[in-house]
Structure formats: structure tokens, C-alpha cells
């Protein structure tokens, strides 16, 4: 799966590269997406818009940070508004050869709890993203087939189908990604939870900008076609390579209100 981790991963920041003349297979393309240079760290302010099936939209605000720890990364999210969710925090640690370790801190109980593997298909704080969407997925856990090449949003794209080798390792039966040849950022990902033609969820990049020479998805959308709901993330501010402190990515830091 092409991961959708909030912060740089959910924001999907990528540098401009140029491999379009090469003949690449599906696995190589997905690996290059995962190996992209998105800075040593990033810090963003993000607006979240949740729209329910009746069309009512609720706004949230949050900060999101990602930092490299050697070849692995850790990510941190803190919701800051509205008051009902202020102080709720999420921490994800990439672990070599295993699923990410994830923790959710709830101010009302004053402690964090680990997200178990059995909960990875649950909604992340009532959004259209799940905890599985919030983690890095090893490329070799899936087969990646280059289906075709086609144009999307003015970009020539590879269209790749990914299927889990172990069906129990993902809530999704398969997902299809549109990846531009000269940018290596998924513009669209369709997620299928059943063996049907219609996707259950569709992830779309709605706006791109180049920030500090890094292509950054400034607005993304996850739409759930079965529930008729959607979650939009709008980045209002982002900075790369700012030297974020390691303590921001610890469980102890989750309890700090600011």
C-alpha cells in the first residue's frame, strides 16, 4: 500500500525526480515512492474538514510532525481545536520488518493506549482514514502490477495495482494508484475492501505546491463511497529540516498540552 500517514506521509511530500525514460516495473515504482526524499523532518499546521453523510461539515485543527531516525521514521499529531478534541495526540513509530507501533493519547483518561493489530482497520479519531492508513507498509508485503499508463490531471501516470501477499495483513483486498512519472507522488489511490468493481474509498491529491524545493500535497481528500463521507486535509503551513527535538516523538511527550 502507498501509505497515508498524516504529516509528511499523509501530506505526501516529494522532490522532483526524472525517471520517465526508464522502463520500470510496479514494485520498483512503489519502492521509489516510499524512498522519496521528504526532508529529515517536517512540521505542519493542518486544517481537517469532516463531512458526514447528511452533508454537515465539522472543522478541526492540528499540528503534525515527522522525523527520520536512521532509515526509519516517527510521526506525531496533536489536535488543537475544537475544545472537544484539543490535546488528543497520536504517535506512530516505524519498525523494521514489522507493523508500525501506534499510540493514541486521550486527555479525558490522562494516558495513552497502544493500537493493537486487530484495531488497525478502525477509524482514526472518527475520520475516513484508518489506523492502517496511518502507517508505513513494506513494499514486499504486496505484489505490485503495472496495469497501464495514462494521463491524469495533466500528468502522465503509471497505474499500479497492489495486492497483499497475506490477505490477513490488510483490510484491503487491493488498491490502485496513479503515480506521475516525473513527480512520484500518488495523485489518486482507490481502495477496495471487497472483490467488486467499485472502490470503498478514494484518496485524491487536490492541490500541490513546491515548498523548500519539495513537492508537497497541500490539500488531500479521503472519500468513503460506502458511507458517503469525506475527510479533507488542508495544510496551512509547513516547514522542512527544522531540527525537531527527538523528545517530540516519545510517549512521554504525548501528555504535554503544548
Amino acid at each position: 500500500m502507498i501509505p497515508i500517514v498524516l504529516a509528511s506521509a499523509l501530506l505526501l511530500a516529494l522532490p522532483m525526480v526524472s525517471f520517465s525514460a526508464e522502463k520500470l516495473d510496479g514494485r520498483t515504482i512503489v519502492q521509489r515512492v516510499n524512498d522519496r526524499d521528504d526532508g529529515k523532518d517536517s512540521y505542519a499546521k493542518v486544517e481537517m474538514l469532516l463531512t458526514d453523510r447528511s452533508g454537515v461539515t465539522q472543522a478541526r485543527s492540528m499540528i503534525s510532525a515527522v522525523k527520520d531516525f536512521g532509515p526509519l521514521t516517527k510521526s506525531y499529531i496533536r489536535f488543537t481545536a475544537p475544545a472537544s478534541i484539543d490535546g488528543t495526540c497520536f504517535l506512530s513509530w516505524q519498525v523494521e520488518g514489522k507493523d508500525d507501533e501506534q499510540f493514541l493519547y486521550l486527555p479525558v483518561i490522562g494516558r495513552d493506549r497502544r493500537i493493537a493489530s486487530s484495531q488497525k482497520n478502525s477509524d482514526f479519531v472518527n475520520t475516513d482514514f484508518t489506523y492502517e492508513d496511518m502507517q508505513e507498509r513494506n513494499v514486499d508485503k504486496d505484489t505490485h502490477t503495472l496495469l497501464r499508463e495514462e494521463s491524469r490531471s495533466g500528468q502522465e501516470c503509471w497505474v499500479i495495482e497492489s495486492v497483499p501477499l497475506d490477505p490477513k495483513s490488510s483490510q484491503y483486498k487491493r488498491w490502485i494508484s496513479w503515480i506521475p512519472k516525473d513527480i512520484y507522488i500518488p495523485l489518486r489511490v482507490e481502495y477496495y475492501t471487497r472483490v467488486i468493481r467499485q472502490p470503498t474509498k478514494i484518496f485524491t491529491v487536490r492541490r500541490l505546491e513546491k515548498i523548500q524545493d519539495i513537492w508537497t500535497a497541500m490539500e488531500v481528500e479521503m472519500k468513503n463511497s460506502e458511507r458517503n463521507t469525506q475527510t479533507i486535509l488542508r495544510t496551512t503551513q509547513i516547514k522542512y529540516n527544522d531540527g525537531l527535538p527527538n523528545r517530540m516523538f516519545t510517549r512521554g511527550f504525548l501528555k504535554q498540552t503544548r
Side-chain angles (χ1 to χ4, degrees):
M1 179 189 316
I2 295 176
I4 307 174
V5 180
L6 287 169
S8 289
L10 239 196
L11 302 172
L12 294 167
L14 295 170
M16 178 70 79
V17 292
S18 184
F19 297 112
S20 57
E22 297 183 57
K23 291 294 183 180
L24 304 176
D25 60 19
R27 186 203 175 281
T28 301
I29 294 168
V30 174
Q31 186 66 60
R32 287 184 172 177
V33 171
N34 281 15
D35 291 344
R36 64 193 180 269
D37 177 14
D38 54 1
K40 295 180 180 180
D41 61 47
S42 64
Y43 181 90
K45 293 183 179 180
V46 182
E47 293 178 352
M48 175 184 282
L49 300 175
L50 303 170
T51 303
D52 64 22
R53 65 178 61 209
S54 62
V56 177
T57 298
Q58 175 192 11
R60 295 177 177 176
S61 298
M62 64 185 188
I63 60 172
S64 176
V66 176
K67 184 171 183 177
D68 292 340
F69 288 79
L72 306 177
T73 62
K74 296 182 180 181
S75 60
Y76 164 84
I77 293 168
R78 178 181 295 275
F79 288 92
T80 57
S84 59
I85 199 172
D86 182 23
T88 299
C89 300
F90 175 71
L91 183 65
S92 185
W93 296 339
Q94 191 179 359
V95 181
E96 187 173 5
K98 300 180 181 179
D99 287 345
D100 290 6
E101 290 190 48
Q102 298 177 322
F103 308 90
L104 183 68
Y105 175 80
L106 301 173
V108 67
I109 62 176
R111 61 181 176 85
D112 65 80
R113 62 179 179 85
R114 186 187 298 268
I115 305 301
S117 297
S118 60
Q119 298 174 302
K120 293 297 176 75
N121 63 348
S122 301
D123 293 344
F124 170 67
V125 288
N126 298 318
T127 70
D128 291 293
F129 295 92
T130 64
Y131 288 99
E132 180 183 344
D133 297 331
M134 308 292 291
Q135 68 180 10
E136 189 85 11
R137 187 172 174 89
N138 188 292
V139 172
D140 291 322
K141 293 183 75 171
D142 316 302
T143 60
H144 307 281
T145 304
L146 179 57
L147 300 179
R148 60 187 182 276
E149 300 178 16
E150 66 182 32
S151 178
R152 182 168 189 85
S153 301
Q155 297 278 352
E156 286 301 314
C157 296
W158 289 293
V159 183
I160 298 174
E161 180 184 60
S162 300
V163 179
L165 290 171
D166 178 5
K168 295 180 180 179
S169 70
S170 176
Q171 66 191 292
Y172 305 115
K173 301 293 185 183
R174 62 189 177 104
W175 50 95
I176 299 176
S177 309
W178 280 255
I179 302 172
K181 294 183 178 181
D182 288 329
I183 301 180
Y184 276 74
I185 181 169
L187 294 180
R188 177 184 175 96
V189 185
E190 296 180 350
Y191 294 96
Y192 297 79
T193 55
R194 297 182 178 86
V195 185
I196 55 175
R197 291 188 177 183
Q198 296 299 318
T200 303
K201 299 196 301 187
I202 300 175
F203 174 84
T204 307
V205 174
R206 296 171 54 155
R207 183 164 59 93
L208 284 166
E209 287 186 21
K210 209 170 190 180
I211 309 293
Q212 295 176 235
D213 291 325
I214 296 176
W215 281 104
T216 305
M218 300 297 289
E219 183 172 326
V220 301
E221 172 193 85
M222 181 70 90
K223 181 175 291 187
N224 190 311
S225 56
E226 289 189 345
R227 300 191 309 207
N228 195 27
T229 59
Q230 71 176 19
T231 301
I232 294 174
L233 301 172
R234 291 177 181 163
T235 300
T236 59
Q237 180 181 331
I238 186 167
K239 190 171 184 179
Y240 296 98
N241 301 317
D242 206 28
L244 298 178
N246 291 348
R247 63 184 178 85
M248 180 179 288
F249 303 92
T250 63
R251 294 177 70 176
F253 191 77
L254 295 176
K255 300 179 181 180
Q256 300 185 26
T257 57
R258 290 293 182 268

